[in-house]
Structures are given as structure tokens and as C-alpha cells.
Amino acid sequence: MEAKSSIRLGSAQELLESASNAGAKGLGAFETPVELAGILRALLPKYIEVITDFCAGHGNLAVGCADGTTTNLLLVDIQRLQTIKPENRPVYQTLDASRAVGDITKFFPLLKSVDWRGDCFVNNPPFNMHWSKDNLAELAQSDMPEVRAAFAATDTSVGKGKIDSTVATILMTLDAMSTRGEGILISNGATMDRLILDDGAPYGMLKKFIWISLSLDGNPMTKAKTDAWGNEFKTSIIGYAKDHKIGPQMDLRNTPNSDDLKEKIRLVPDIRH
């Protein structure tokens, strides 16, 4: 989900250096309604001590997925923000939110250098940004063959030496997951279908890790049914896990609204692993 907003000049420069098409796309903040995040919490394990978000914005997605079992949020975002508003943090008193300010494509190599691992990831990366593969070169040496293969693959729509931000975020999180790590990711529905879920998709080797695929009609942030280019818009939501290797067990795409999504998720069995 994308909500256009102002962004500090220093952050804007870093964003332009990271994504070759940032100027054309516009500089915006990408946010998730806390209410939607609360619904998606049901797709994650019963107990989550630490939640990591590589594209955190104000932290809404991580906050909405946190509950009484959560003690820490690890957030990365390209611009420095004021502390998360207490009214948006239902577990504000019990959480320790640590925030790293910077471009995740430049911060990720630092995590790799210390072999950092996480158990639970929630991400709503910026839509259709073309990130430099040079910044993420460590993915070519991932211990996961599927990550190595996906990083080596070419998507002609982004150009040589670039990688779509949605795919890159999935690769980074898979690579950094602990043995039984898992996560959820929100993206543009057309992008998810074209790049991963459709037959013959350039990054189809990642589909095996996705245990559930959902989508909402429209954009829950704006309530709009169309995107900035006037096309019918769908918001994709996937649940994926490092040790899930048999692909989507449930396909719940084309859900009319958040209330229907909540009911669908309530009936989802635990088939992540």
C-alpha cells in the first residue's frame, strides 16, 4: 500500500541512489493500516517475541502484528521519524522498538557480515522500485539455492543490474531467516502475480516457500480500487516460511474487503510448515 507524502531531503537523495526509478515513481511513505496488520497477525505464529520489518515506515505493520507475546520490534527505514505515536501502539508499554535509519539495501550487508538471523518478518516494501543489485551482492552467496537462483535471474522490466523491491525484500528475508523463520509480505497484486505466482514467472522458484496467497480488491490504505496509473488495483498478501517447500496450500485471492479477509483468515488451518 502506498500513501504519498513528503520525505526529508537527505532521505530523498539516498532513495534516489538506491532506486533508479525513484524520481519517476515519486518519493512517498509506504504504510499499512494498523487495523489490517491486526488481521494479518493470525497468519503468524502464536508466540512472537521479536518482529522485524525491513521497510518499516512509521512501524504500523510491526505494531499491528505485535501482541502480549512480543517484546521487541526491529525496524529499518530510510528516513528518521519521531517515535511511533502511542495511540498506534496497542502494546506500547511492553515493547522495545529499535530503529535503524538507512537504505535497507545498504544495511542488509551489515546484517550479513555478522550472520544475523530473525524468526519473524513483516514487510510492506515500496511498490515497484528498481533497487541496485550491486548493493545486495551478498545474496549471490546465500546458503539457499533458490535465493541464489532468483538473484541471478533477470526481469526485463527493471533492466540489467536492478531488482524489483518486492522480490528483493523476499530474498533478503528468506536469506536472513532462522531455520523455522517465516513472515508475511504485502505488495501490489499484479507485481506478485507477474513476478512469482504466475506460470513462467521469472522468480517462480520462490513460489515454493509461499504457503498462502491472499489479495484484497483495492488499496486498504486509500480505499481506492485503482492505482496511480488508473488500473484496477489488487493488494497481494502472502505468508511464507523458510522450511515450507510445497507452494501455496491456500489461494484466497480477490477478497472484497478487510472484513471478508478477516473471516477467511480465521478459518485458515495452520499449514505453514
Side-chain angles (χ1 to χ4, degrees), residues 52-55 61 121-125 169 173 184-186 240:
T52 301
D53 188 341
F54 280 166
C55 308
L61 180 54
F121 294 83
V122 299
N123 283 278
N124 178 7
T169 302
T173 53
I184 57 175
L185 182 135
I186 302 172
Y240 59 113

Side-chain angles (χ1 to χ4, degrees), residues 16 50 82 98 100 105 109 152 157 161 235 238 266 273:
L16 286 166
V50 181
Q82 298 294 324
S98 300
T105 71
S157 69
T235 297
I238 61 167
R266 187 182 70 81
H273 300 287

Side-chain angles (χ1 to χ4, degrees), residues 103-117:
D103 176 358
I104 184 56
T105 71
K106 298 176 183 177
F107 187 72
F108 180 73
L110 301 178
L111 298 178
K112 287 285 291 181
S113 69
V114 296
D115 195 29
W116 178 86
R117 302 282 172 171

Side-chain angles (χ1 to χ4, degrees), residues 93-167:
Q93 296 297 326
T94 62
L95 285 177
D96 177 15
S98 300
R99 187 181 189 88
V101 179
D103 176 358
I104 184 56
T105 71
K106 298 176 183 177
F107 187 72
F108 180 73
L110 301 178
L111 298 178
K112 287 285 291 181
S113 69
V114 296
D115 195 29
W116 178 86
R117 302 282 172 171
D119 295 323
C120 180
F121 294 83
V122 299
N123 283 278
N124 178 7
F127 162 57
N128 197 29
M129 287 293 179
H130 301 170
W131 285 346
S132 170
K133 293 180 76 170
D134 289 343
N135 293 349
L136 297 170
E138 285 83 356
L139 289 172
Q141 282 75 50
S142 172
D143 58 4
M144 297 180 65
E146 297 88 354
V147 170
R148 297 196 302 270
F151 187 70
T154 299
D155 171 16
T156 56
S157 69
V158 304
K160 188 175 181 180
K162 304 294 179 183
I163 186 168
D164 181 87
S165 46
T166 294
V167 173

